[in-house]
Protein backbone atom coordinates (compact mmCIF):
# COMPACT_ATOMS: atom_id res chain seq x y z
CA UNK A 1 0.00 0.00 0.00
CA UNK A 2 2.84 2.24 0.95
CA UNK A 3 4.26 1.67 -2.51
CA UNK A 4 1.38 3.32 -4.33
CA UNK A 5 2.17 6.71 -2.84
CA UNK A 6 5.93 6.49 -3.10
CA UNK A 7 7.78 8.04 -5.97
CA UNK A 8 9.83 5.82 -8.28
CA UNK A 9 13.62 6.07 -8.23
CA UNK A 10 15.83 4.45 -10.85
CA UNK A 11 19.56 3.88 -10.89
CA UNK A 12 22.12 1.47 -12.27
CA UNK A 13 25.81 0.65 -12.15
CA UNK A 14 27.83 -1.08 -14.82
CA UNK A 15 29.38 -4.42 -13.88
CA UNK A 16 32.77 -3.34 -15.12
CA UNK A 17 34.49 -4.54 -11.96
CA UNK A 18 36.63 -2.64 -9.52
CA UNK A 19 34.13 -0.39 -7.79
CA UNK A 20 35.96 2.22 -5.74
CA UNK A 21 35.20 3.71 -2.37
CA UNK A 22 34.15 6.77 -4.40
CA UNK A 23 31.36 4.75 -6.04
CA UNK A 24 30.38 3.48 -2.61
CA UNK A 25 30.20 6.86 -0.88
CA UNK A 26 28.81 8.69 -3.91
CA UNK A 27 26.25 6.13 -5.05
CA UNK A 28 25.60 2.79 -3.41
CA UNK A 29 25.64 4.00 0.18
CA UNK A 30 23.05 6.66 -0.64
CA UNK A 31 20.87 4.11 -2.40
CA UNK A 32 20.58 2.26 0.86
CA UNK A 33 18.98 5.30 2.49
CA UNK A 34 16.80 6.06 -0.53
CA UNK A 35 15.19 2.61 -0.49
CA UNK A 36 13.08 3.74 2.48
CA UNK A 37 11.77 6.85 0.74
CA UNK A 38 11.19 5.64 -2.80
CA UNK A 39 10.08 2.64 -4.78
CA UNK A 40 13.54 1.79 -6.09
CA UNK A 41 14.72 -0.03 -9.16
CA UNK A 42 18.44 -0.79 -9.02
CA UNK A 43 19.93 -2.40 -12.09
CA UNK A 44 23.20 -3.98 -13.07
CA UNK A 45 23.75 -2.40 -16.47
CA UNK A 46 25.41 -5.25 -18.37
CA UNK A 47 24.11 -4.06 -21.76
CA UNK A 48 25.88 -0.76 -21.17
CA UNK A 49 29.07 -2.54 -20.14
CA UNK A 50 29.37 -4.33 -23.50
CA UNK A 51 29.70 -1.03 -25.36
CA UNK A 52 33.39 -1.41 -24.58
CA UNK A 53 35.16 -4.74 -25.08
CA UNK A 54 34.57 -7.20 -22.24
CA UNK A 55 36.00 -10.61 -21.49
CA UNK A 56 32.87 -12.82 -21.31
CA UNK A 57 33.87 -14.83 -18.23
CA UNK A 58 34.77 -11.64 -16.38
CA UNK A 59 31.57 -9.86 -17.32
CA UNK A 60 29.64 -12.81 -15.92
CA UNK A 61 31.68 -12.83 -12.71
CA UNK A 62 31.47 -9.05 -12.25
CA UNK A 63 27.69 -9.16 -12.67
CA UNK A 64 27.28 -11.62 -9.81
CA UNK A 65 29.88 -9.83 -7.67
CA UNK A 66 28.05 -6.56 -8.11
CA UNK A 67 24.73 -8.13 -7.13
CA UNK A 68 26.37 -9.52 -3.99
CA UNK A 69 28.00 -6.18 -3.26
CA UNK A 70 24.72 -4.30 -3.56
CA UNK A 71 23.16 -6.62 -0.98
CA UNK A 72 26.26 -6.61 1.24
CA UNK A 73 26.15 -2.80 1.31
CA UNK A 74 22.60 -2.90 2.61
CA UNK A 75 20.36 -2.85 -0.45
CA UNK A 76 17.40 -4.93 0.66
CA UNK A 77 16.09 -7.09 -2.19
CA UNK A 78 12.77 -7.40 -0.37
CA UNK A 79 12.38 -3.63 -0.47
CA UNK A 80 13.72 -2.76 -3.90
CA UNK A 81 13.82 -4.34 -7.29
CA UNK A 82 17.39 -5.49 -7.83
CA UNK A 83 17.96 -6.98 -11.26
CA UNK A 84 20.20 -7.45 -14.26
CA UNK A 85 19.36 -5.16 -17.18
CA UNK A 86 19.70 -7.85 -19.88
CA UNK A 87 17.19 -10.08 -18.04
CA UNK A 88 14.46 -7.64 -19.02
CA UNK A 89 14.25 -7.55 -22.81
CA UNK A 90 12.06 -4.44 -22.76
CA UNK A 91 15.23 -2.32 -22.29
CA UNK A 92 16.64 -3.30 -25.67
CA UNK A 93 13.23 -3.08 -27.32
CA UNK A 94 12.46 0.42 -26.09
CA UNK A 95 16.01 1.57 -26.81
CA UNK A 96 15.54 0.55 -30.46
CA UNK A 97 12.35 2.55 -30.74
CA UNK A 98 13.91 5.58 -29.04
CA UNK A 99 16.86 5.36 -31.44
CA UNK A 100 14.45 6.33 -34.19
CA UNK A 101 13.59 9.65 -32.55
CA UNK A 102 17.13 10.49 -31.48
CA UNK A 103 19.45 12.34 -33.85
CA UNK A 104 22.99 11.27 -34.68
CA UNK A 105 24.15 14.84 -34.10
CA UNK A 106 22.82 14.83 -30.55
CA UNK A 107 24.73 11.67 -29.73
CA UNK A 108 27.94 12.89 -31.37
CA UNK A 109 27.90 15.92 -29.10
CA UNK A 110 27.77 13.90 -25.86
CA UNK A 111 30.85 14.53 -23.75
CA UNK A 112 31.17 10.96 -22.55
CA UNK A 113 30.85 9.61 -26.09
CA UNK A 114 33.65 11.90 -27.27
CA UNK A 115 35.86 10.85 -24.35
CA UNK A 116 35.20 7.14 -24.78
CA UNK A 117 35.55 7.31 -28.57
CA UNK A 118 38.98 8.86 -28.09
CA UNK A 119 39.95 6.27 -25.49
CA UNK A 120 38.68 3.28 -27.49
CA UNK A 121 39.47 4.60 -30.97
CA UNK A 122 39.69 1.04 -32.36
CA UNK A 123 36.13 0.25 -31.25
CA UNK A 124 33.80 3.21 -31.79
CA UNK A 125 30.74 0.99 -32.21
CA UNK A 126 27.07 1.91 -32.67
CA UNK A 127 26.30 0.80 -29.12
CA UNK A 128 28.80 3.25 -27.70
CA UNK A 129 27.09 6.04 -29.56
CA UNK A 130 23.59 4.93 -28.61
CA UNK A 131 24.60 4.41 -24.98
CA UNK A 132 22.53 7.40 -23.76
CA UNK A 133 19.47 6.11 -25.63
CA UNK A 134 19.66 2.80 -23.76
CA UNK A 135 19.98 4.76 -20.55
CA UNK A 136 16.89 6.77 -21.49
CA UNK A 137 15.04 3.49 -22.10
CA UNK A 138 16.12 2.21 -18.66
CA UNK A 139 14.74 5.23 -16.88
CA UNK A 140 11.60 5.83 -18.95
CA UNK A 141 10.38 2.22 -18.83
CA UNK A 142 9.77 2.55 -15.09
CA UNK A 143 8.18 6.02 -15.27
CA UNK A 144 10.84 7.11 -12.80
CA UNK A 145 10.31 10.37 -10.95
CA UNK A 146 13.93 10.72 -9.91
CA UNK A 147 17.37 9.50 -10.89
CA UNK A 148 20.29 10.04 -8.51
CA UNK A 149 23.13 10.98 -10.82
CA UNK A 150 26.63 12.25 -10.38
CA UNK A 151 27.99 15.07 -12.45
CA UNK A 152 29.32 12.70 -15.14
CA UNK A 153 25.82 11.37 -15.89
CA UNK A 154 24.00 14.71 -15.77
CA UNK A 155 24.16 15.20 -19.52
CA UNK A 156 22.69 11.74 -20.07
CA UNK A 157 19.74 12.58 -17.87
CA UNK A 158 19.21 15.81 -19.82
CA UNK A 159 19.06 13.91 -23.10
CA UNK A 160 16.66 11.41 -21.50
CA UNK A 161 14.36 14.32 -20.69
CA UNK A 162 14.69 15.66 -24.25
CA UNK A 163 13.88 12.28 -25.78
CA UNK A 164 10.90 11.76 -23.47
CA UNK A 165 9.52 15.22 -24.18
CA UNK A 166 9.95 14.74 -27.91
CA UNK A 167 8.10 11.40 -27.80
CA UNK A 168 5.29 12.85 -25.69
CA UNK A 169 4.89 15.80 -28.05
CA UNK A 170 4.75 13.57 -31.09
CA UNK A 171 2.60 10.70 -29.82
CA UNK A 172 0.82 12.03 -26.75
CA UNK A 173 1.58 11.80 -23.04
CA UNK A 174 3.47 8.52 -22.50
CA UNK A 175 6.56 9.04 -20.38
CA UNK A 176 7.06 10.80 -17.09
CA UNK A 177 9.86 13.38 -17.39
CA UNK A 178 12.45 12.36 -14.77
CA UNK A 179 14.28 14.76 -12.48
CA UNK A 180 17.85 14.54 -11.24
CA UNK A 181 18.00 13.67 -7.57
CA UNK A 182 20.79 15.59 -5.98
CA UNK A 183 22.24 13.70 -3.07
CA UNK A 184 22.94 16.01 -0.16
CA UNK A 185 25.38 13.81 1.68
CA UNK A 186 28.59 12.25 0.48
CA UNK A 187 31.61 14.33 -0.40
CA UNK A 188 33.20 13.79 -3.79
CA UNK A 189 36.20 11.54 -3.36
CA UNK A 190 39.32 12.42 -5.30
CA UNK A 191 42.20 10.29 -6.54
CA UNK A 192 44.84 9.57 -3.89
CA UNK A 193 47.56 10.48 -6.38
CA UNK A 194 45.92 13.45 -8.10
CA UNK A 195 43.26 14.62 -5.64
CA UNK A 196 41.76 17.38 -7.79
CA UNK A 197 40.46 14.64 -10.08
CA UNK A 198 37.75 12.14 -9.20
CA UNK A 199 38.81 8.71 -7.97
CA UNK A 200 38.21 6.50 -10.98
CA UNK A 201 37.52 2.79 -11.55
CA UNK A 202 39.85 2.79 -14.50
CA UNK A 203 42.84 4.79 -13.27
CA UNK A 204 46.07 3.36 -14.64
CA UNK A 205 47.94 4.12 -11.43
CA UNK A 206 46.95 1.35 -8.98
CA UNK A 207 47.74 3.61 -6.01
CA UNK A 208 45.26 6.28 -7.12
CA UNK A 209 42.07 4.39 -6.26
CA UNK A 210 40.94 2.29 -3.32
CA UNK A 211 38.75 -0.55 -4.51
CA UNK A 212 35.90 -2.11 -2.59
CA UNK A 213 37.71 -5.44 -2.97
CA UNK A 214 41.09 -4.27 -1.63
CA UNK A 215 42.37 -6.07 1.46
CA UNK A 216 43.39 -4.29 4.65
CA UNK A 217 47.13 -4.15 3.90
CA UNK A 218 46.54 -2.81 0.41
CA UNK A 219 44.19 -0.13 1.69
CA UNK A 220 46.63 1.02 4.37
CA UNK A 221 49.54 1.02 1.92
CA UNK A 222 47.60 3.12 -0.61
CA UNK A 223 46.71 5.71 2.02
CA UNK A 224 50.32 5.83 3.21
CA UNK A 225 51.35 6.71 -0.33
CA UNK A 226 48.59 9.28 -0.84
CA UNK A 227 49.92 12.65 -1.96
CA UNK A 228 49.65 15.48 0.53
CA UNK A 229 51.94 18.51 0.72
CA UNK A 230 54.88 19.63 2.81
CA UNK A 231 53.35 21.90 5.44
CA UNK A 232 52.16 19.17 7.82
CA UNK A 233 48.91 20.85 8.92
CA UNK A 234 45.78 18.72 8.88
CA UNK A 235 43.18 21.22 7.75
CA UNK A 236 40.81 21.31 4.79
CA UNK A 237 41.47 24.14 2.38
CA UNK A 238 41.53 24.76 -1.32
CA UNK A 239 45.31 24.95 -1.52
CA UNK A 240 45.61 21.58 0.25
CA UNK A 241 43.66 19.22 -2.04
CA UNK A 242 45.43 16.05 -0.86
CA UNK A 243 44.83 16.64 2.85
CA UNK A 244 41.29 17.86 2.18
CA UNK A 245 40.51 14.70 0.24
CA UNK A 246 41.82 12.50 3.05
CA UNK A 247 39.79 14.46 5.60
CA UNK A 248 36.68 14.01 3.45
CA UNK A 249 37.30 10.29 3.17
CA UNK A 250 37.91 9.97 6.90
CA UNK A 251 34.79 11.95 7.78
CA UNK A 252 32.55 10.00 5.41
CA UNK A 253 33.73 6.62 6.70
CA UNK A 254 33.82 7.64 10.34
CA UNK A 255 30.44 9.36 10.14
CA UNK A 256 31.71 12.68 11.49
CA UNK A 257 32.11 16.15 10.05
CA UNK A 258 35.32 17.43 8.48
CA UNK A 259 35.60 19.98 11.30
CA UNK A 260 35.47 17.18 13.86
CA UNK A 261 38.11 15.27 11.94
CA UNK A 262 40.38 18.34 11.83
CA UNK A 263 40.06 18.71 15.58
CA UNK A 264 40.82 15.04 16.16
CA UNK A 265 44.08 15.28 14.22
CA UNK A 266 45.20 18.67 15.48
CA UNK A 267 48.92 18.61 16.21
CA UNK A 268 49.38 15.14 14.66
CA UNK A 269 51.71 14.38 11.76
CA UNK A 270 50.75 13.21 8.28
CA UNK A 271 52.08 9.71 8.98
CA UNK A 272 49.67 9.07 11.85
CA UNK A 273 46.85 10.77 9.99
CA UNK A 274 47.22 8.65 6.86
CA UNK A 275 47.40 5.47 8.92
CA UNK A 276 44.21 6.41 10.76
CA UNK A 277 42.38 7.09 7.48
CA UNK A 278 43.54 3.75 6.08
CA UNK A 279 42.50 1.84 9.17
CA UNK A 280 39.12 3.51 9.30
CA UNK A 281 38.36 2.67 5.66
CA UNK A 282 39.62 -0.89 6.11
CA UNK A 283 37.46 -1.34 9.22
CA UNK A 284 34.39 -0.09 7.35
CA UNK A 285 34.95 -2.33 4.34
CA UNK A 286 35.75 -5.53 6.25
CA UNK A 287 32.16 -6.50 7.13
CA UNK A 288 30.92 -5.60 3.62
CA UNK A 289 33.61 -7.76 2.04
CA UNK A 290 32.84 -10.64 4.39
CA UNK A 291 29.14 -10.46 3.61
CA UNK A 292 29.79 -10.23 -0.14
CA UNK A 293 31.97 -13.34 0.08
CA UNK A 294 29.31 -15.19 2.03
CA UNK A 295 26.66 -14.28 -0.56
CA UNK A 296 28.89 -15.28 -3.47
CA UNK A 297 29.20 -18.73 -1.92
CA UNK A 298 25.40 -19.04 -2.17
CA UNK A 299 24.81 -18.72 -5.90
CA UNK A 300 21.37 -20.29 -5.67
CA UNK A 301 20.20 -17.51 -3.37
CA UNK A 302 21.65 -14.79 -5.60
CA UNK A 303 20.11 -16.28 -8.73
CA UNK A 304 16.78 -16.46 -6.98
CA UNK A 305 16.94 -12.79 -5.94
CA UNK A 306 17.91 -11.71 -9.46
CA UNK A 307 15.18 -13.84 -11.04
CA UNK A 308 12.56 -12.29 -8.79
CA UNK A 309 13.95 -8.82 -9.47
CA UNK A 310 13.79 -9.40 -13.21
CA UNK A 311 10.22 -10.61 -12.96
CA UNK A 312 9.17 -7.53 -11.04
CA UNK A 313 11.01 -5.21 -13.38
CA UNK A 314 9.66 -6.93 -16.49
CA UNK A 315 6.10 -6.49 -15.27
CA UNK A 316 6.52 -2.75 -14.77
CA UNK A 317 8.52 -2.30 -17.97
CA UNK A 318 6.06 -4.21 -20.14
CA UNK A 319 3.27 -1.80 -19.27
CA UNK A 320 5.22 1.17 -20.62
CA UNK A 321 6.56 -0.73 -23.62
CA UNK A 322 3.09 -1.89 -24.70
CA UNK A 323 1.83 1.66 -24.53
CA UNK A 324 4.73 2.87 -26.67
CA UNK A 325 4.24 0.11 -29.25
CA UNK A 326 0.56 1.00 -29.58
CA UNK A 327 1.19 4.75 -29.82
CA UNK A 328 3.70 4.50 -32.62
CA UNK A 329 1.53 2.16 -34.66
CA UNK A 330 3.14 -1.24 -34.30
CA UNK A 331 0.35 -3.69 -35.07
CA UNK A 332 -0.53 -5.61 -31.91
CA UNK A 333 -3.46 -7.65 -33.23
CA UNK A 334 -7.15 -6.85 -32.87
N1 LIG B 1 25.63 4.96 -17.29
C1 LIG B 1 25.58 4.80 -15.87
C2 LIG B 1 27.02 4.83 -15.31
O1 LIG B 1 27.92 4.37 -15.96
C3 LIG B 1 24.90 3.53 -15.47
C4 LIG B 1 23.46 3.55 -15.88
C5 LIG B 1 22.88 2.80 -16.85
C6 LIG B 1 22.44 4.35 -15.31
N2 LIG B 1 21.56 3.08 -16.93
C7 LIG B 1 21.25 4.02 -16.00
C8 LIG B 1 22.43 5.31 -14.27
C9 LIG B 1 20.04 4.65 -15.69
C10 LIG B 1 21.22 5.94 -13.98
C11 LIG B 1 20.03 5.62 -14.67
O2 LIG B 1 27.20 5.26 -14.22
Amino acid sequence: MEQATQKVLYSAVQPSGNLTIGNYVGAIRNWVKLQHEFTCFYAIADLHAITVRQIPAELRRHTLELAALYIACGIDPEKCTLYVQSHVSAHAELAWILNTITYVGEMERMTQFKDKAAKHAENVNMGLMAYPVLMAADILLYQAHVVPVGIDQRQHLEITRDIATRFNNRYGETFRIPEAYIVKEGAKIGSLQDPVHKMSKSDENPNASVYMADDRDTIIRKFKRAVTDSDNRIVASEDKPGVTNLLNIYASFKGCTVAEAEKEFEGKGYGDFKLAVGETVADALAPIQAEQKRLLADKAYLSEILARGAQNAAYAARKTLSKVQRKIGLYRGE
Side-chain angles (χ1 to χ4, degrees):
M1 291 307 98
E2 189 187 51
Q3 297 226 332
T5 58
Q6 277 182 339
K7 288 186 172 177
V8 175
L9 180 145
Y10 191 91
S11 200
V13 171
Q14 292 187 56
S16 38
N18 295 339
L19 251 65
T20 72
I21 57 169
N23 301 120
Y24 174 63
V25 171
I28 298 188
R29 194 166 71 171
N30 296 311
W31 295 7
V32 175
K33 296 185 200 135
L34 295 169
Q35 66 187 344
H36 305 291
E37 274 173 67
F38 296 95
T39 297
C40 295
F41 290 87
Y42 292 137
I44 297 170
D46 55 349
L47 296 176
H48 278 105
I50 59 169
T51 59
V52 301
R53 207 103 68 207
Q54 299 287 336
I55 298 165
E58 285 193 0
L59 178 61
R60 211 172 285 129
R61 181 166 59 79
H62 288 152
T63 299
L64 213 58
E65 282 175 0
L66 185 55
L69 184 65
Y70 274 137
I71 301 169
C73 287
I75 302 283
D76 179 355
E78 303 299 326
K79 241 190 197 101
C80 353
T81 300
L82 174 62
Y83 73 104
V84 179
Q85 183 187 33
S86 68
H87 293 182
V88 180
S89 64
H91 290 255
E93 294 176 71
L94 181 61
W96 179 260
I97 292 170
L98 297 180
N99 273 331
T100 67
I101 65 158
T102 306
Y103 299 104
V104 170
E106 289 178 300
M107 295 296 102
E108 281 173 334
R109 284 194 292 276
M110 292 274 130
T111 310
Q112 197 170 76
F113 171 68
K114 288 192 279 190
D115 290 349
K116 286 195 183 170
K119 204 171 150 202
H120 304 276
E122 76 304 335
N123 184 23
V124 185
N125 62 77
M126 296 294 289
L128 190 65
M129 195 186 221
Y131 180 113
V133 183
L134 178 59
M135 206 167 135
D138 295 347
I139 298 165
L140 299 176
L141 275 175
Y142 301 93
Q143 304 287 350
H145 295 77
V146 289
V147 182
V149 281
I151 192 84
D152 60 325
Q153 297 296 323
R154 207 55 67 75
Q155 199 182 31
H156 289 159
L157 186 63
E158 269 320 302
I159 201 77
T160 298
R161 291 166 53 90
D162 291 348
I163 293 169
T165 306
R166 188 176 303 156
F167 189 99
N168 286 351
N169 288 340
R170 202 168 293 175
Y171 299 106
E173 224 33 49
T174 308
F175 296 124
R176 172 171 286 119
I177 311 298
E179 308 275 345
Y181 183 87
I182 312 293
V183 181
K184 286 149 258 161
E185 282 164 81
K188 260 245 296 288
I189 291 188
S191 153
L192 297 190
Q193 295 298 318
D194 181 14
V196 295
H197 290 111
K198 205 176 117 179
M199 185 179 283
S200 156
K201 289 199 256 198
S202 51
D203 206 304
E204 272 153 35
N205 183 343
N207 288 318
S209 308
V210 176
Y211 298 107
M212 291 302 284
D214 281 347
D215 63 30
R216 186 175 189 86
D217 289 349
T218 306
I219 295 171
I220 290 173
R221 180 168 40 79
K222 286 179 177 178
F223 279 106
K224 269 193 193 151
R225 292 188 186 162
V227 300
T228 41
D229 52 45
S230 55
D231 92 346
N232 231 18
R233 279 180 320 122
I234 302 169
V235 291
S237 83
E238 221 164 282
D239 60 337
K240 292 168 73 68
V243 172
T244 305
N245 188 37
L246 293 178
L247 279 165
N248 276 332
I249 294 172
Y250 183 80
S252 45
F253 278 89
K254 194 82 181 181
C256 65
T257 65
V258 169
E260 284 164 350
E262 285 174 334
K263 189 162 263 161
E264 187 179 337
F265 292 107
E266 216 175 83
K268 297 241 169 74
Y270 283 169
D272 290 343
F273 172 50
K274 288 180 181 178
L275 180 63
V277 182
E279 285 178 337
T280 300
V281 172
D283 287 347
L285 296 193
I288 296 174
Q289 292 172 345
E291 178 62 3
Q292 186 192 24
K293 199 170 156 204
R294 192 187 68 76
L295 288 162
L296 283 169
D298 191 354
K299 300 260 184 334
Y301 169 76
L302 284 177
S303 305
E304 211 265 308
I305 293 291
L306 294 176
R308 252 197 292 146
Q311 207 171 28
N312 250 344
Y315 179 80
R318 191 53 54 179
K319 268 204 241 175
T320 302
L321 183 63
S322 301
K323 206 166 170 188
V324 168
Q325 289 166 330
R326 254 183 293 116
K327 293 225 174 182
I328 64 173
L330 301 184
Y331 180 66
R332 314 310 296 158
E334 303 301 331

